Amino acid sequence: MGNVRRRFYFFMKKPAAQLKEKAKGKYDKLDTVLEKYKGRGGVLVKVLQEAQEMYGHLPRELLIHVAYELDVPLSEVYSVVSFYSLFRTKTTGRIHLEVCSGTACYVKGMEDLLEYFRENLSLRPGGITDDEKYSLTTSNCMGVCSSAPVIKIGGELHGEMTLEKLQQLLKEHENDKQTQR
Amino acid sequence: MTSRLRDELKEKVAQTKPEERHILLCGGVPCRSLRCLEVKEAVSDELHKHNFEEKVKVLETGCIGNCKLGPSLIIFPEGVVYRRLKTENAREIIEEHVLGGRLLEHLLHRDSISDELQHRREDMPFFQRQRRLVLKNCGMISPGINSYLSNQGYAALAKALTELTPEEVIAEVSRSGLRGRGGGGFPTGRKWQAARDTPGAEKYVICNGDEGDPGAFMDRSIMEGDPHSVLEGLILAAYAVGAGQGYIYVRAEYPLAVQRLERAIGEARKSHFLGDNILEQEFSFDLEIRVGAGAFVCGEETALITSVEGSRGDPNPRPPFPVQKGVWGCPTVINNVETLANIPAIVLNGAAWFAETGTEKSKGTKVFALAGKVRHTGLVEVPMGTTLREIIFDIGGGIPAGKKFKAAQTGGPSGGCLTEEHLDLPLDYDSLKAVGSIIGSGGLIIMDEDSCMVDVARYFCDFNRQESCGKCTPCRIGNKRMLEILEKIISGQGEEKDLQRLEDLALLIKNASLCGLGRSAPNPVLSTMRHFRDEYLAHIKDKHCPAGVCPELSRYYIDAKECRACGLCARICPVEAIYEVENERVYRIDPEKCVDCGQCQEECPFEAIEGGRKRKKVAGV
């Protein structure tokens, strides 16, 4: 085992060290988190959750950084990231849309919402518009089944969705973004 | 409500002084999704305007339960419920009711069946027919520790620590007949006893709040609305099995539940219900929250353990069971949220009191999350053994828009469906198992005639395929193959052999998978095939989707018996797909040319044009 680990790090350390040079200063904020958890077992999920909260998504560079700092193989980090559906390795749009695809929402017509995005924004689940304005994912169930169908727009939950209500909400969010800027 | 009672209530409203009043506003997530917090702000603003903000308290509670009323508020002491509120209503509520003492009839709930105004919670059949033991505080108190303490909170813990030995606590729970509410239905007392009997210096208790079942939300509501009851149940479990450390595993999709639990843990520590020497006794226990990251399989106990340990949530073979070898290799008890919320009342009131409710083998109550095509969606707590008919029609108010009941899906992607013939089946663990479904965590999704059961099977199969962790082959590949066959049927390419193939695959996956996810993944397919075989056959043989859901099998066609050959459809068809059959005086649609616009069906004076995809209008009802 020890031998395998040593060999692994032989291959790992070089690019990681180079990347570290390249990513210098990029993940400073994360280092305080890493410092807090370093040397403790069972913290990988927590570190990644906090990292995603800070940076919005988890690019490969960041994963290498985490693997290097926590002294775990990159494959293990990647296996955790790809296993849990809430970890994202791609960027999100300025307005992130999350359609609930739980059973109640399915029965109440959540596919019509997805069709709306597909037809009007050429946006499919997991995708992002070319201008990076909207991104779309589906969630397996937000537990708000009694108000189905539900959608999360920019982290805010909206229930009993209709196409008219959706258009109205998108407009509101656009205006909000403009006034913020 | 009789007119006499109504007059009495009106009089009471008129006589109550404004400063005697307080307002409870439902702050559950469903109501929040309908902007109830804006209503709360508007109400507070109005009170402020009239200088009454000190005298009339506005409290935000957990989920009241009847989500179709939301956003709603209750004005005490009269108990009047106003429903479907908007910010504009705040002014009249304060000026007319709170300060003026006049009822606002247009904001009251009107029963859809009896067409009667219902003024209070007690008047509504939705609440009348429930028996709320677990949910007794939900929606009635604010989630803080003071409200909980004034409702007999932590009295059970005090009783257990001072009067009962751990063995006595286990005996009480065993005698009560409580079974796990997460789906398995394993006797809770036996689980505790097994963990207690396993030697080991360190033991753990875990609350499983990874409610991944799509369509279930009772655990979320309990964690948000009454977090201290879950904590108290967990502390009692720890005392019984001799654990020093516990975890609450919550889904990341429930941020409000995480926030409320964190606050509750802080409050409990301050009041010495957690930490060293709890209530100055020789018992120490502390707990930590672990937030999931979106994986359905983590609700399975061995997967949950690996996830708590910080790795990917892969399940492991059992035995060894978690009670023998769990978190960090130590004996671990894992209980569901609702199970734990039952514990304080059992310890406080005794096993005999609990066992009065329910059926012979399933004691107590069960909380169901009622959703889908039913008038009153929300949380329903009923004694075990209540029939489906009572839940759907008496409590839920029936199917909206005059549609017909078709199926109820229980147990989410691990369960099956119940049909019209099961409406009078008493719901408990064993009766549901006998008809090929499970009670599961209690999600109850009602479907009407607009749902295609083959597509429902595809939906669940796709869900299980996505959520399969990939560790064992039958589940990883079998579910994908099953999905492919179902997609083939839905696209109109199905053969009769496919049904046999599906069944063989399903049984193989069931028998050969490693964990509960795989072993129960084929259930929705098997159950829809058992109860709706004719619908499968319609897809395969007639190439027709009776519900009009599957696009490929919902083409338009002309019923030759009804057609009077007026030729109107042929004239309006934009793509000239309709032609007259020579010498037969009927018209026919060329499926190659038809673009499914549906104009002919709308215009046909004899309603001779059938089929077509019945578009679900989003939230049309």
Short mmCIF file of all heavy atoms in Angstrom, two decimals, chain B residues 289-335:
data_model
loop_
_atom_site.label_atom_id
_atom_site.label_comp_id
_atom_site.label_asym_id
_atom_site.label_seq_id
_atom_site.Cartn_x
_atom_site.Cartn_y
_atom_site.Cartn_z
N ILE B 289 -24.41 17.98 13.28
CA ILE B 289 -25.22 17.85 12.08
C ILE B 289 -24.31 17.50 10.91
O ILE B 289 -23.23 18.09 10.76
CB ILE B 289 -25.96 19.16 11.76
CG1 ILE B 289 -26.95 19.46 12.87
CG2 ILE B 289 -26.69 19.08 10.43
CD1 ILE B 289 -27.74 20.71 12.67
N ARG B 290 -24.70 16.54 10.12
CA ARG B 290 -23.99 16.25 8.87
C ARG B 290 -24.94 16.56 7.73
O ARG B 290 -26.06 16.05 7.70
CB ARG B 290 -23.56 14.78 8.79
CG ARG B 290 -22.38 14.45 9.66
CD ARG B 290 -21.10 15.05 9.09
NE ARG B 290 -20.11 15.24 10.12
CZ ARG B 290 -19.01 14.48 10.24
NH1 ARG B 290 -18.79 13.52 9.41
NH2 ARG B 290 -18.16 14.74 11.20
N VAL B 291 -24.49 17.43 6.83
CA VAL B 291 -25.36 17.80 5.72
C VAL B 291 -24.98 16.97 4.50
O VAL B 291 -23.81 16.86 4.15
CB VAL B 291 -25.22 19.31 5.41
CG1 VAL B 291 -26.15 19.70 4.27
CG2 VAL B 291 -25.54 20.12 6.64
N GLY B 292 -25.97 16.36 3.88
CA GLY B 292 -25.73 15.54 2.70
C GLY B 292 -25.39 16.41 1.50
O GLY B 292 -25.26 17.64 1.59
N ALA B 293 -25.18 15.76 0.37
CA ALA B 293 -24.81 16.53 -0.81
C ALA B 293 -25.57 16.03 -2.03
O ALA B 293 -25.11 16.14 -3.15
CB ALA B 293 -23.31 16.47 -1.05
N GLY B 294 -26.75 15.48 -1.78
CA GLY B 294 -27.58 15.09 -2.91
C GLY B 294 -27.30 13.70 -3.41
O GLY B 294 -26.69 13.54 -4.46
N ALA B 295 -27.69 12.67 -2.65
CA ALA B 295 -27.58 11.30 -3.13
C ALA B 295 -28.65 10.49 -2.44
O ALA B 295 -28.65 10.37 -1.22
CB ALA B 295 -26.20 10.72 -2.83
N PHE B 296 -29.58 9.96 -3.23
CA PHE B 296 -30.72 9.24 -2.70
C PHE B 296 -30.28 8.02 -1.90
O PHE B 296 -30.84 7.69 -0.87
CB PHE B 296 -31.61 8.82 -3.87
CG PHE B 296 -32.78 7.95 -3.51
CD1 PHE B 296 -33.77 8.41 -2.66
CD2 PHE B 296 -32.91 6.68 -4.05
CE1 PHE B 296 -34.85 7.61 -2.34
CE2 PHE B 296 -33.99 5.88 -3.73
CZ PHE B 296 -34.96 6.35 -2.88
N VAL B 297 -29.21 7.35 -2.38
CA VAL B 297 -28.79 6.10 -1.76
C VAL B 297 -28.33 6.32 -0.31
O VAL B 297 -28.35 5.40 0.51
CB VAL B 297 -27.70 5.41 -2.60
CG1 VAL B 297 -26.39 6.17 -2.54
CG2 VAL B 297 -27.50 3.97 -2.18
N CYS B 298 -27.97 7.54 0.04
CA CYS B 298 -27.51 7.81 1.40
C CYS B 298 -28.61 7.64 2.44
O CYS B 298 -28.33 7.68 3.64
CB CYS B 298 -26.91 9.21 1.51
SG CYS B 298 -25.32 9.32 0.68
N GLY B 299 -29.85 7.49 2.02
CA GLY B 299 -30.90 7.17 2.98
C GLY B 299 -30.81 5.71 3.43
O GLY B 299 -31.36 5.34 4.47
N GLU B 300 -30.12 4.90 2.67
CA GLU B 300 -29.89 3.49 3.04
C GLU B 300 -28.85 3.49 4.16
O GLU B 300 -27.85 4.21 4.07
CB GLU B 300 -29.37 2.74 1.81
CG GLU B 300 -29.51 1.25 1.87
CD GLU B 300 -28.39 0.55 2.60
OE1 GLU B 300 -27.31 1.15 2.77
OE2 GLU B 300 -28.57 -0.58 3.03
N GLU B 301 -29.04 2.69 5.21
CA GLU B 301 -28.24 2.93 6.41
C GLU B 301 -26.74 2.70 6.25
O GLU B 301 -25.94 3.48 6.77
CB GLU B 301 -28.80 2.22 7.64
CG GLU B 301 -29.26 0.80 7.45
CD GLU B 301 -29.84 0.24 8.74
OE1 GLU B 301 -30.34 1.01 9.56
OE2 GLU B 301 -29.77 -0.98 8.91
N THR B 302 -26.35 1.67 5.49
CA THR B 302 -24.90 1.47 5.37
C THR B 302 -24.26 2.57 4.51
O THR B 302 -23.13 2.98 4.75
CB THR B 302 -24.58 0.09 4.77
OG1 THR B 302 -25.19 -0.03 3.50
CG2 THR B 302 -25.06 -1.03 5.66
N ALA B 303 -25.01 3.05 3.51
CA ALA B 303 -24.50 4.15 2.69
C ALA B 303 -24.43 5.43 3.51
O ALA B 303 -23.48 6.22 3.38
CB ALA B 303 -25.39 4.36 1.46
N LEU B 304 -25.43 5.62 4.37
CA LEU B 304 -25.44 6.80 5.23
C LEU B 304 -24.20 6.82 6.13
O LEU B 304 -23.60 7.86 6.35
CB LEU B 304 -26.72 6.79 6.06
CG LEU B 304 -26.99 8.03 6.90
CD1 LEU B 304 -28.44 8.43 6.75
CD2 LEU B 304 -26.67 7.82 8.34
N ILE B 305 -23.83 5.63 6.60
CA ILE B 305 -22.66 5.55 7.48
C ILE B 305 -21.39 5.99 6.74
O ILE B 305 -20.63 6.82 7.24
CB ILE B 305 -22.51 4.11 8.03
CG1 ILE B 305 -23.58 3.88 9.08
CG2 ILE B 305 -21.13 3.89 8.63
CD1 ILE B 305 -23.73 2.44 9.51
N THR B 306 -21.20 5.47 5.51
CA THR B 306 -19.99 5.88 4.79
C THR B 306 -20.04 7.37 4.46
O THR B 306 -19.01 8.04 4.43
CB THR B 306 -19.79 5.07 3.49
OG1 THR B 306 -21.01 4.98 2.81
CG2 THR B 306 -19.23 3.70 3.76
N SER B 307 -21.23 7.89 4.24
CA SER B 307 -21.34 9.32 3.95
C SER B 307 -21.03 10.16 5.19
O SER B 307 -20.36 11.19 5.10
CB SER B 307 -22.73 9.64 3.42
OG SER B 307 -22.82 10.99 3.05
N VAL B 308 -21.49 9.70 6.36
CA VAL B 308 -21.16 10.41 7.61
C VAL B 308 -19.65 10.42 7.82
O VAL B 308 -19.07 11.39 8.31
CB VAL B 308 -21.88 9.75 8.82
CG1 VAL B 308 -21.30 10.23 10.14
CG2 VAL B 308 -23.36 10.04 8.78
N GLU B 309 -19.01 9.33 7.40
CA GLU B 309 -17.57 9.26 7.54
C GLU B 309 -16.83 10.12 6.52
O GLU B 309 -15.60 10.16 6.50
CB GLU B 309 -17.11 7.79 7.43
CG GLU B 309 -17.53 6.96 8.63
CD GLU B 309 -17.28 5.47 8.43
OE1 GLU B 309 -16.89 5.07 7.33
OE2 GLU B 309 -17.49 4.72 9.39
N GLY B 310 -17.58 10.77 5.64
CA GLY B 310 -16.97 11.75 4.73
C GLY B 310 -16.58 11.22 3.37
O GLY B 310 -15.95 11.92 2.59
N SER B 311 -16.94 9.97 3.05
CA SER B 311 -16.59 9.46 1.72
C SER B 311 -17.82 9.47 0.83
O SER B 311 -18.88 9.95 1.22
CB SER B 311 -16.08 8.02 1.81
OG SER B 311 -15.43 7.79 3.01
N ARG B 312 -17.67 8.89 -0.36
CA ARG B 312 -18.85 8.75 -1.21
C ARG B 312 -19.76 7.69 -0.57
O ARG B 312 -19.27 6.73 0.03
CB ARG B 312 -18.50 8.41 -2.64
CG ARG B 312 -17.56 7.25 -2.83
CD ARG B 312 -17.22 7.04 -4.28
NE ARG B 312 -18.25 6.28 -4.96
CZ ARG B 312 -18.51 6.39 -6.26
NH1 ARG B 312 -17.84 7.25 -6.99
NH2 ARG B 312 -19.44 5.67 -6.82
N GLY B 313 -21.04 7.90 -0.73
CA GLY B 313 -21.98 7.07 0.03
C GLY B 313 -22.24 5.73 -0.60
O GLY B 313 -23.34 5.44 -1.07
N ASP B 314 -21.25 4.88 -0.59
CA ASP B 314 -21.44 3.53 -1.10
C ASP B 314 -22.02 2.64 -0.01
O ASP B 314 -21.53 2.65 1.11
CB ASP B 314 -20.10 2.93 -1.55
CG ASP B 314 -19.68 3.48 -2.90
OD1 ASP B 314 -20.56 3.88 -3.67
OD2 ASP B 314 -18.46 3.52 -3.17
N PRO B 315 -23.02 1.83 -0.35
CA PRO B 315 -23.55 0.91 0.65
C PRO B 315 -22.62 -0.29 0.84
O PRO B 315 -21.74 -0.54 0.00
CB PRO B 315 -24.87 0.46 0.04
CG PRO B 315 -24.74 0.66 -1.42
CD PRO B 315 -23.74 1.76 -1.62
N ASN B 316 -22.79 -1.00 1.92
CA ASN B 316 -22.00 -2.19 2.19
C ASN B 316 -22.92 -3.35 2.50
O ASN B 316 -24.06 -3.16 2.89
CB ASN B 316 -21.08 -1.94 3.39
CG ASN B 316 -19.92 -1.04 3.00
OD1 ASN B 316 -19.21 -1.31 2.04
ND2 ASN B 316 -19.78 0.06 3.72
N PRO B 317 -22.43 -4.57 2.31
CA PRO B 317 -23.29 -5.73 2.58
C PRO B 317 -23.65 -5.81 4.06
O PRO B 317 -22.86 -5.41 4.93
CB PRO B 317 -22.43 -6.93 2.19
CG PRO B 317 -21.24 -6.41 1.50
CD PRO B 317 -21.10 -4.98 1.85
N ARG B 318 -24.86 -6.31 4.32
CA ARG B 318 -25.27 -6.58 5.70
C ARG B 318 -25.54 -8.07 5.80
O ARG B 318 -26.17 -8.61 4.88
CB ARG B 318 -26.55 -5.80 6.04
CG ARG B 318 -26.40 -4.32 6.01
CD ARG B 318 -27.66 -3.65 6.45
NE ARG B 318 -28.82 -4.05 5.66
CZ ARG B 318 -30.04 -3.57 5.84
NH1 ARG B 318 -30.27 -2.72 6.80
NH2 ARG B 318 -31.03 -3.96 5.10
N PRO B 319 -25.24 -8.78 6.87
CA PRO B 319 -24.47 -8.34 8.02
C PRO B 319 -23.00 -8.07 7.66
O PRO B 319 -22.59 -8.52 6.60
CB PRO B 319 -24.61 -9.55 8.97
CG PRO B 319 -24.91 -10.72 8.10
CD PRO B 319 -25.64 -10.17 6.93
N PRO B 320 -22.25 -7.40 8.53
CA PRO B 320 -22.66 -6.93 9.84
C PRO B 320 -23.63 -5.75 9.76
O PRO B 320 -23.45 -4.87 8.93
CB PRO B 320 -21.34 -6.47 10.47
CG PRO B 320 -20.48 -6.10 9.32
CD PRO B 320 -20.86 -7.04 8.22
N PHE B 321 -24.64 -5.77 10.60
CA PHE B 321 -25.60 -4.69 10.66
C PHE B 321 -25.00 -3.50 11.40
O PHE B 321 -24.10 -3.66 12.23
CB PHE B 321 -26.87 -5.16 11.36
CG PHE B 321 -27.65 -6.15 10.54
CD1 PHE B 321 -27.48 -7.50 10.72
CD2 PHE B 321 -28.54 -5.71 9.57
CE1 PHE B 321 -28.18 -8.42 9.94
CE2 PHE B 321 -29.24 -6.61 8.78
CZ PHE B 321 -29.06 -7.97 8.97
N PRO B 322 -25.52 -2.29 11.12
CA PRO B 322 -24.98 -1.11 11.81
C PRO B 322 -25.02 -1.24 13.33
O PRO B 322 -24.14 -0.70 14.01
CB PRO B 322 -25.89 0.02 11.34
CG PRO B 322 -26.38 -0.43 10.01
CD PRO B 322 -26.50 -1.92 10.09
N VAL B 323 -26.01 -1.95 13.86
CA VAL B 323 -26.06 -2.07 15.33
C VAL B 323 -24.87 -2.88 15.85
O VAL B 323 -24.52 -2.80 17.03
CB VAL B 323 -27.36 -2.73 15.84
CG1 VAL B 323 -28.53 -1.76 15.69
CG2 VAL B 323 -27.64 -4.03 15.15
N GLN B 324 -24.22 -3.66 14.94
CA GLN B 324 -23.01 -4.38 15.36
C GLN B 324 -21.77 -3.60 14.99
O GLN B 324 -20.84 -3.48 15.78
CB GLN B 324 -22.98 -5.76 14.68
CG GLN B 324 -24.16 -6.63 15.06
CD GLN B 324 -24.46 -7.67 14.03
OE1 GLN B 324 -24.27 -7.47 12.83
NE2 GLN B 324 -24.96 -8.82 14.48
N LYS B 325 -21.77 -3.06 13.77
CA LYS B 325 -20.57 -2.40 13.27
C LYS B 325 -21.03 -1.25 12.38
O LYS B 325 -21.40 -1.46 11.23
CB LYS B 325 -19.75 -3.40 12.47
CG LYS B 325 -18.29 -3.08 12.38
CD LYS B 325 -17.50 -4.28 11.89
CE LYS B 325 -16.09 -3.85 11.53
NZ LYS B 325 -15.74 -4.05 10.15
N GLY B 326 -21.04 -0.03 12.91
CA GLY B 326 -21.55 1.10 12.16
C GLY B 326 -20.50 2.16 11.92
O GLY B 326 -19.44 1.88 11.40
N VAL B 327 -20.83 3.40 12.35
CA VAL B 327 -19.90 4.51 12.14
C VAL B 327 -18.58 4.25 12.84
O VAL B 327 -18.55 3.87 14.01
CB VAL B 327 -20.51 5.82 12.69
CG1 VAL B 327 -19.58 7.00 12.44
CG2 VAL B 327 -21.84 6.08 12.04
N TRP B 328 -17.49 4.45 12.14
CA TRP B 328 -16.13 4.21 12.64
C TRP B 328 -16.01 2.82 13.26
O TRP B 328 -15.28 2.61 14.21
CB TRP B 328 -15.69 5.26 13.68
CG TRP B 328 -16.12 6.68 13.40
CD1 TRP B 328 -16.97 7.42 14.14
CD2 TRP B 328 -15.70 7.53 12.31
NE1 TRP B 328 -17.16 8.67 13.58
CE2 TRP B 328 -16.39 8.76 12.45
CE3 TRP B 328 -14.86 7.36 11.21
CZ2 TRP B 328 -16.23 9.82 11.57
CZ3 TRP B 328 -14.71 8.42 10.33
CH2 TRP B 328 -15.39 9.63 10.52
N GLY B 329 -16.79 1.87 12.76
CA GLY B 329 -16.71 0.49 13.23
C GLY B 329 -17.39 0.22 14.57
O GLY B 329 -17.25 -0.86 15.12
N CYS B 330 -18.11 1.20 15.09
CA CYS B 330 -18.73 1.04 16.41
C CYS B 330 -20.23 0.74 16.26
O CYS B 330 -20.83 1.12 15.25
CB CYS B 330 -18.58 2.31 17.23
SG CYS B 330 -16.88 2.79 17.44
N PRO B 331 -20.85 0.11 17.26
CA PRO B 331 -22.29 -0.15 17.20
C PRO B 331 -23.07 1.17 17.03
O PRO B 331 -22.80 2.14 17.74
CB PRO B 331 -22.60 -0.77 18.57
CG PRO B 331 -21.30 -1.30 19.05
CD PRO B 331 -20.23 -0.43 18.48
N THR B 332 -23.99 1.17 16.08
CA THR B 332 -24.68 2.42 15.73
C THR B 332 -26.16 2.15 15.53
O THR B 332 -26.53 1.21 14.83
CB THR B 332 -24.10 2.99 14.42
OG1 THR B 332 -22.70 3.18 14.59
CG2 THR B 332 -24.73 4.31 14.05
N VAL B 333 -26.99 3.00 16.14
CA VAL B 333 -28.42 2.92 15.90
C VAL B 333 -28.81 4.04 14.95
O VAL B 333 -28.45 5.19 15.16
CB VAL B 333 -29.21 3.06 17.22
CG1 VAL B 333 -30.67 3.40 16.94
CG2 VAL B 333 -29.14 1.77 18.01
N ILE B 334 -29.50 3.70 13.87
CA ILE B 334 -29.97 4.71 12.93
C ILE B 334 -31.48 4.69 12.94
O ILE B 334 -32.11 3.67 12.67
CB ILE B 334 -29.44 4.44 11.52
CG1 ILE B 334 -27.92 4.41 11.53
CG2 ILE B 334 -29.94 5.50 10.55
CD1 ILE B 334 -27.29 4.03 10.21
N ASN B 335 -32.08 5.82 13.30
CA ASN B 335 -33.54 5.93 13.31
C ASN B 335 -33.99 7.09 12.45
O ASN B 335 -33.30 8.10 12.33
CB ASN B 335 -34.05 6.14 14.74
CG ASN B 335 -34.07 4.85 15.55
OD1 ASN B 335 -33.69 4.83 16.71
ND2 ASN B 335 -34.49 3.77 14.92
#
